[in-house]
Amino acid sequence: MPRLAAASLAGTAIEFYDFFVYGTAAALVLGPLFFPTFSPLAGTLAAFGTFGVGFVARPLGSVLFGHLGDRRGRRPVLVISLLLTGASTVAVGCVPSYGAIGVAAPVLLLVLRFLQGLGLGGEWGGAVLLTAEHAPAGRRALWSSFPQMGPALGFLLANGVMLALSASLSDAQFARWGWRVPFWAAGALALAGLWLRSSLTESPRFLEIDDHARVPLVEVVRHHGRLVLLTAGALAVGYAVFYAVTTWSLAYATERLGVSRTVMLMCIMGAVLVKGALTPLMALGGDRYGRRTMCLTGCAACVLWMLPMVALLATGEPLLMFLAILGALVAFITMFAVIAAYLPELYEARVRCTGAAVGYNLGGVLGGALTPIIATTLAERGGRVPWGVGVYLTGIALISLGCFALLPETRPVPVPAAEPVTG
């Protein structure tokens, strides 16, 4: 289990590095480079629009790779998805700016961002299922939380590289070539991830299945459609909160409040570091008190924290901004530390890769794709304190709270391979 968990953690960290480095670049530099004919606000919105395309692609990736995972095994998914995401990320760093090739530049950016999302949509399901299906039932949430620490590590790595470049280069150097370096580094990281995953064995739960689903998506829609919609709605708040504080807040603080790019990146990275450290602790709570209990607790905390969060962000004071982001991410990880165990337990093994991944990534579309755009628009129309952003995030949290309330608990009774929990 330690070796398997470490390989899953490294793989998800690398894939989320690829995904997050784009979000940071979108907030800092992509607007002027790829949409120079737009106003500063419109350029930022357009850059966030290309960011959202990755979320739209993720459910499609979960369908394609979920089919492969349910038909051929979880292990092949990990290799192919990592190759796809790594290659498309390196290619983003090679795309010439609008000034060099005109409208072809943002078009290429959109295509490559779509491919990034496609690969990430498959990655999560494969990594989580391989870990969850190897883990003992009494510690499934704990072991499954290791892939869930991957996003935190990927974010820290992506923003750490961006921070180092931002601090060591002039604004002109950073805009000309510095922002491309983190994308090129994705190639070396992908090769390292493939080496780590080369020795992984197939999931024992998959090997036990005698009758594989012919078209897993059809079975998921027919027998688990309500469950997919509930899980997507429940997870929407996590995506909305995470990308509001890690992507929108970066643009808001630097463009509207005049906070230093370096200071804001350090505030966000400090909060993400704490979130990553708390992940296994929250997962132990899921093994002890139940997955649904932890999800309801974290979601309720989001409902209560969103308005205080935007008030603290609007102060422009680094310490208060750090506390605003930290409170949101602690609420977030209270839910998402147990999701890697919770979602697979809700679906029968023969369609688990498709069902869990589709529900997870649809939540990303609902909560993450438009949040930076909507939050930027609301903040621009409001006063110094972006209350509209807080109300928007609170509304999503309330919807997700209702969805979590309608889902069943799965702990401590192990789910048999052939018997679905349909909710």
Side-chain angles (χ1 to χ4, degrees), residues 117-421:
L118 209 65
L120 191 61
E123 158 67 24
W124 185 87
V128 162
L129 284 190
L130 201 62
T131 307
E133 291 182 338
H134 273 90
R139 283 290 179 264
R140 187 173 294 135
L142 175 61
W143 287 115
S144 300
S145 72
F146 281 82
Q148 290 298 81
M149 285 189 275
L153 289 178
F155 182 89
L156 290 170
L157 185 59
N159 283 272
V161 174
M162 282 288 191
L163 180 61
L165 290 167
S166 177
S168 60
L169 300 176
S170 68
D171 287 345
Q173 289 174 321
F174 184 79
R176 188 165 60 250
W177 60 268
W179 70 271
R180 298 180 183 274
V181 173
F183 290 90
W184 296 335
L189 292 174
L191 292 175
L194 289 173
W195 176 76
L196 284 170
R197 290 180 165 183
S198 62
S199 62
L200 296 182
T201 59
E202 185 53 78
S203 158
R205 292 293 259 180
F206 176 79
L207 296 176
E208 291 172 2
I209 301 170
D210 297 322
D211 182 24
H212 295 282
R214 291 189 60 188
V215 186
L217 180 62
V218 172
E219 290 199 21
V220 167
V221 172
R222 183 179 299 162
H223 301 297
H224 305 281
R226 176 177 176 270
L227 184 58
V228 169
L229 293 177
L230 283 177
T231 53
L235 299 180
V237 63
Y239 284 100
V241 169
F242 187 84
Y243 287 103
V245 299
T246 60
T247 300
W248 164 74
S249 71
L250 180 58
Y252 167 73
T254 54
E255 294 173 9
R256 287 289 305 278
L257 303 181
V259 176
S260 161
R261 181 170 59 201
T262 300
V263 168
M264 194 58 192
L265 281 172
M266 290 181 67
C267 288
I268 295 172
M269 289 173 63
V272 171
L273 181 63
V274 176
K275 176 192 83 86
L278 287 176
T279 302
L281 180 63
M282 297 300 184
L284 282 171
D287 279 326
R288 182 170 182 178
Y289 302 110
R291 296 32 162 153
R292 181 172 172 270
T293 299
M294 297 297 290
C295 289
L296 288 171
T297 301
C299 200
C302 288
V303 172
L304 298 174
W305 186 245
M306 293 302 98
L307 290 174
M309 180 191 77
V310 296
L312 290 171
L313 282 174
T315 64
E317 294 293 329
L319 179 58
L320 295 180
M321 298 179 85
F322 168 74
L323 292 175
I325 296 167
L326 179 61
L329 292 184
V330 169
F332 162 84
I333 202 57
T334 303
M335 296 178 284
F336 271 58
V338 301
I339 287 299
Y342 192 23
L343 260 63
E345 290 171 342
L346 290 169
Y347 294 89
E348 58 181 315
R350 67 198 306 268
V351 295
R352 187 172 288 158
C353 196
T354 300
V358 168
Y360 184 84
N361 287 296
L362 277 179
V365 174
L366 296 175
L370 296 178
T371 288
I373 298 173
I374 293 172
T376 300
T377 304
L378 291 173
E380 184 68 20
R381 292 177 179 176
R384 181 177 175 85
V385 180
W387 294 116
V389 178
V391 171
Y392 167 71
L393 294 173
T394 302
I396 294 179
L398 286 169
I399 293 170
S400 293
L401 188 65
C403 291
F404 274 126
L406 294 173
L407 288 171
E409 180 59 83
T410 58
R411 203 272 331 158
V413 180
V415 179
E419 296 180 14
V421 177

